[in-house]
Amino acid sequence: MFGKDNTRTNVSKKQKSGPSRGLRLFVWAIDLFMLILVAIAIYVVIVFLQMPSLDAILHETRPAAVVFLDNNGNEIRASNRIMGVPVSVETLPPHVWQAIIAIEDKRFFEHGPVEFRAIARAMISNLLHGRLAAGGSTITQQTAKNIFLSREKKISRKVQELILSYWLENRFTKNQVLDLYMNRVSLVGGMRGIDAAARVMFQRSANNLTIAQAAQIAAMLKAPTTYSPLANPDKNIARARVILQEMVRQGYITLNQARIAARELAPATPAPDTNIYRYWTDFVLDEVKSTIGTFESDLYVYTTLDKGLQERIADVLPAQVGENQGAVVAMNTDGAVRAMVGGTDYQASQFNRALALRQPGSSFKPVVYLVALENGMTPDMYVNDSPFTIGDYAPQNYNNRYYGDITLATAFAKSVNSVPLKLTQEYGIDSVLNMAGRLGVGNKLRREYSTVLGASELSLLDLTTIYAVIWNDGYSVRPYSITKITDPNGTIIYQRNPSEPLQVLMPQTVEYMTELLADVVAVGGTGRRAMAPGVLGGKTGTSNDNRDAWFVGAWHDLIIGVWMGRDDNTSMSSKITGGTIPATIFHEIVK
């Protein structure tokens, strides 16, 4: 009896003891797993909420870039450009994007946002090497990282990368993702996109890359600085060879094409220094703003610049002026500005001296002589060179030398001071100012006799324009630097539509004045150092105490103005006049 009761008691205890220990552990594991999933989900949500605005970054705002082109339509420089011209799989030569696919993600068109095979291979490789020797990121992941994310190596950034990768491939086609990658990847100097790299490395657009150059651009994707064809050409070429092999292996190019491309691999040539155009492009940018106002989209500005002439002037000027400063403006007789150099070194000083107001000295005298010629005088008429005084104003000739009775042509060629003052006294100061107004600078001059000798400040651009009118057969000249402005698609925003020039000087007056200007560069004239084949004439000018020295002359249909001086307006050497270094600079430019 007792035995039976004990049996019942034991059974009852087992029934009351509940689930087995194994079952409890299983339930606990399930609960823990669920908690981990919930924690992960919460973490992902938190990370997602911290992500940047996707649409905002896809359509990021940036300063509008302005691309400047010369008179032949060649790009000379770009302002505010941080990205190259947009490229697309649909428009690029296939070998350009194929080089990228071949080395960066050969199964890009087959796998999803994440390539698990690549991740597995990378993990095995890293374990074997004991370090991070390989990565497994797809182009989609790299695109997410390049566009949206910082370079911080955090778990949260990797989670964001995965989220963004799935979002990108859900929103865009594979081709569009590849377009985003090619246009946003950073390869050189803070600029983004393979087109920017192509222009810096090979001075051509991505649309014109050869197979070899495409491989060299693709070689940079792993590490732009390490594999740069500029900084490390040997490493770049070695990796480009690997890319060519991969392109053959994957069927993108033939073995013969790869061999030809391999022979073409070479270090990149640095892009030319665009600082020699900076005075010009700064000037043109102001003209753009004046012409079309503010703008928010990229612009292509077609200018009148003669690239070769600009480079020649930028080479000659610093070599001649020494410790002083200088500026040169070159203009066609119709007003097209062909070159502008506003100083010896743009990096040292961005101040454009071609636009600065300085005293033109004797280079202003043609305005006075035009008045005399218009009133019936001729170059062979005699005038008297002797001391002149009006009130307290009593200027002297250079070296205090006077010639007595001389022809008008001689007075002009020797740049005496008394004769233009006496002519002004005869015909009136208002006649001189009116003539300056017809030539385009009258409102900038003071109504006083010192203006006759160049005491009223003018810019080199203003002064060159005066002479352009003379050699334009007396027709008005309005300087211009822009022929048209377009958007990146070629839509014309502005097109120059010039009005008919006005005849402001009579033909006989122009004929006499060009004779006088020709005598200046002849033997015995103050500008004789400027003489060279094709030179039609010119005029020298020197302001008080040798603060400014000028020469303006004509060579064929080109008017070239030269200024030399110091930024602090102190005197240069007494040996420097308009007929010395400025005339020599003119000669060196045109010879």
Side-chain angles (χ1 to χ4, degrees):
M1 184 175 64
F2 292 108
K4 288 181 180 179
D5 289 341
N6 289 338
T7 302
R8 288 193 196 102
T9 304
N10 291 336
V11 171
S12 176
K13 286 180 179 178
K14 287 181 180 179
Q15 289 176 343
K16 291 179 181 179
S17 64
S20 68
R21 180 178 177 82
L23 180 62
R24 289 200 304 272
L25 288 173
F26 176 76
V27 172
W28 179 84
I30 292 293
D31 291 341
L32 180 61
F33 179 73
M34 294 300 296
L35 285 173
I36 291 172
L37 286 180
V38 171
I40 291 174
I42 293 172
Y43 177 75
V44 170
V45 170
I46 293 172
V47 170
F48 181 81
L49 293 175
Q50 293 174 342
M51 287 172 60
S53 170
L54 306 183
D55 287 326
I57 298 181
L58 274 178
H59 304 92
E60 65 177 343
T61 58
R62 58 177 175 80
V66 181
V67 180
F68 301 92
L69 303 101
D70 67 9
N71 62 334
N72 290 320
N74 299 314
E75 181 178 331
I76 53 174
R77 197 180 165 275
S79 173
N80 288 334
R81 176 185 277 170
I82 62 172
M83 298 173 68
V85 174
V87 298
S88 167
V89 171
E90 303 296 329
T91 58
L92 279 173
H95 61 257
V96 177
W97 59 264
Q98 287 168 353
I100 296 171
I101 293 294
I103 195 64
E104 289 296 307
D105 191 354
K106 64 182 179 182
R107 293 187 64 253
F108 172 70
F109 291 104
E110 302 168 20
H111 61 63
V114 178
E115 167 65 308
F116 294 103
R117 290 188 196 176
I119 293 173
R121 284 196 303 269
M123 290 177 64
I124 293 170
S125 176
N126 293 335
L127 286 172
L128 291 174
H129 288 85
R131 57 185 175 86
L132 291 174
S137 294
T138 65
I139 282 179
T140 305
Q141 289 174 270
Q142 293 180 49
T143 303
K145 180 171 59 179
N146 287 335
I147 297 178
F148 301 106
L149 303 174
S150 69
R151 297 289 180 181
E152 293 179 312
K153 294 184 177 181
K154 293 181 177 180
I155 295 177
S156 60
R157 193 205 60 77
K158 196 66 179 178
V159 172
Q160 288 178 331
E161 179 185 304
L162 292 172
I163 295 171
L164 286 168
S165 297
Y166 279 92
W167 178 82
L168 282 170
E169 292 214 1
N170 182 61
R171 176 164 179 173
F172 300 109
T173 66
K174 284 284 190 176
N175 279 1
Q176 289 173 327
V177 172
L178 184 54
D179 290 349
L180 281 171
Y181 177 73
M182 292 189 295
N183 287 316
R184 298 296 186 91
V185 64
S186 180
L187 293 175
V188 55
M191 298 177 68
R192 300 210 296 274
I194 64 169
D195 183 76
R199 291 173 188 274
V200 172
M201 299 297 173
F202 302 111
Q203 291 81 63
R204 60 177 60 192
S205 69
N207 288 320
N208 293 315
L209 288 172
T210 65
I211 293 175
Q213 291 166 342
Q216 288 187 264
I217 294 291
M220 299 173 65
L221 295 169
K222 183 176 182 179
T225 302
T226 303
Y227 294 98
S228 166
L230 280 174
N232 295 296
D234 291 341
K235 290 184 177 181
N236 174 267
I237 290 172
R239 184 164 174 79
R241 290 182 186 277
V242 174
I243 293 171
L244 293 174
Q245 292 170 3
E246 285 297 320
M247 293 179 75
V248 173
R249 187 175 290 113
Q250 296 172 39
Y252 291 130
I253 59 176
T254 66
L255 181 59
N256 188 53
Q257 286 177 307
R259 286 172 176 167
I260 294 172
R263 289 195 293 268
E264 296 174 353
L265 296 173
T269 302
D273 180 12
T274 59
N275 279 324
I276 64 175
Y277 309 113
R278 290 295 300 272
Y279 291 113
W280 168 252
T281 55
D282 286 355
F283 167 71
V284 173
L285 185 57
D286 287 340
E287 294 292 296
V288 169
K289 294 174 181 177
S290 176
T291 301
I292 66 172
T294 57
F295 53 91
E296 296 180 356
S297 61
D298 293 351
L299 300 177
Y300 282 72
V301 182
Y302 293 77
T303 77
T304 56
L305 183 80
D306 182 321
K307 185 178 179 182
L309 181 61
Q310 178 81 5
E311 292 171 356
R312 173 68 178 164
I313 293 170
D315 182 55
V316 168
L317 185 65
Q320 291 290 332
V321 302
E323 63 180 7
N324 300 301
Q325 268 295 351
V328 177
V329 169
M331 179 190 302
N332 281 139
T333 51
D334 71 340
V337 182
R338 295 302 184 193
M340 177 183 288
V341 177
T344 58
D345 185 348
Y346 183 88
Q347 286 185 310
S349 171
Q350 291 77 55
F351 178 60
N352 191 343
R353 295 154 189 87
L355 308 177
L357 297 178
R358 303 287 293 227
Q359 292 185 345
S362 296
S363 58
F364 181 80
K365 289 176 181 175
V367 177
V368 183
Y369 281 82
L370 284 170
V371 173
L373 295 171
E374 194 169 69
N375 279 278
M377 293 195 72
T378 61
D380 57 358
M381 284 185 174
Y382 277 84
V383 289
N384 182 259
D385 176 34
S386 58
F388 173 87
T389 301
I390 182 168
D392 295 331
Y393 188 57
Q396 298 176 340
N397 280 351
Y398 183 71
N399 288 336
N400 201 26
R401 181 179 180 183
Y402 296 91
Y403 297 92
D405 290 336
I406 53 176
T407 64
L408 195 70
T410 301
F412 189 84
K414 293 186 177 297
S415 198
V416 301
N417 286 335
S418 68
V419 171
L421 288 166
K422 291 177 180 180
L423 292 174
T424 300
Q425 191 175 45
E426 180 175 351
Y427 299 113
I429 184 70
D430 289 332
S431 296
V432 174
L433 296 178
N434 289 337
M435 175 60 72
R438 286 155 60 184
L439 299 172
V441 298
N443 61 340
K444 301 180 180 182
L445 305 175
R446 296 188 293 274
R447 191 180 182 279
E448 54 189 45
Y449 269 81
S450 62
T451 292
V452 172
L453 301 183
S456 289
E457 293 80 3
L458 292 174
S459 72
L460 181 60
L461 181 62
D462 292 332
L463 193 65
T464 307
T465 303
I466 290 176
Y467 286 80
V469 174
I470 296 169
W471 275 297
N472 193 37
D473 297 325
Y475 284 89
S476 61
V477 173
R478 184 176 181 180
Y480 68 96
S481 60
I482 301 170
T483 55
K484 70 176 178 179
I485 302 172
T486 72
D487 66 14
N489 296 319
T491 303
I492 295 177
I493 298 171
Y494 163 81
Q495 180 92 45
R496 182 174 181 267
N497 184 23
S499 57
E500 287 294 321
L502 302 174
Q503 187 170 11
V504 296
L505 299 174
M506 298 305 294
Q508 186 66 71
T509 303
V510 172
E511 182 181 343
Y512 286 149
M513 177 51 67
T514 53
E515 287 181 23
L516 297 180
L517 292 167
D519 288 343
V520 172
V521 298
V523 176
T526 59
R528 58 190 176 275
R529 295 189 187 186
M531 194 57 189
V535 174
L536 305 178
K539 184 69 182 74
T540 61
T542 310
S543 66
N544 289 338
D545 300 320
N546 301 87
R547 290 188 176 93
D548 305 275
W550 310 73
F551 182 85
V552 185
W555 180 68
H556 298 294
D557 69 339
L558 198 65
I559 317 302
I560 300 175
V562 180
W563 168 85
M564 182 178 170
R566 291 181 174 172
D567 289 341
D568 60 5
N569 205 31
T570 56
S571 299
M572 297 181 290
S573 166
S574 60
K575 295 180 180 180
I576 297 177
T577 66
T580 58
I581 298 177
T584 300
I585 291 172
F586 177 92
H587 173 84
E588 290 297 312
I589 292 169
V590 306
K591 73 176 183 180

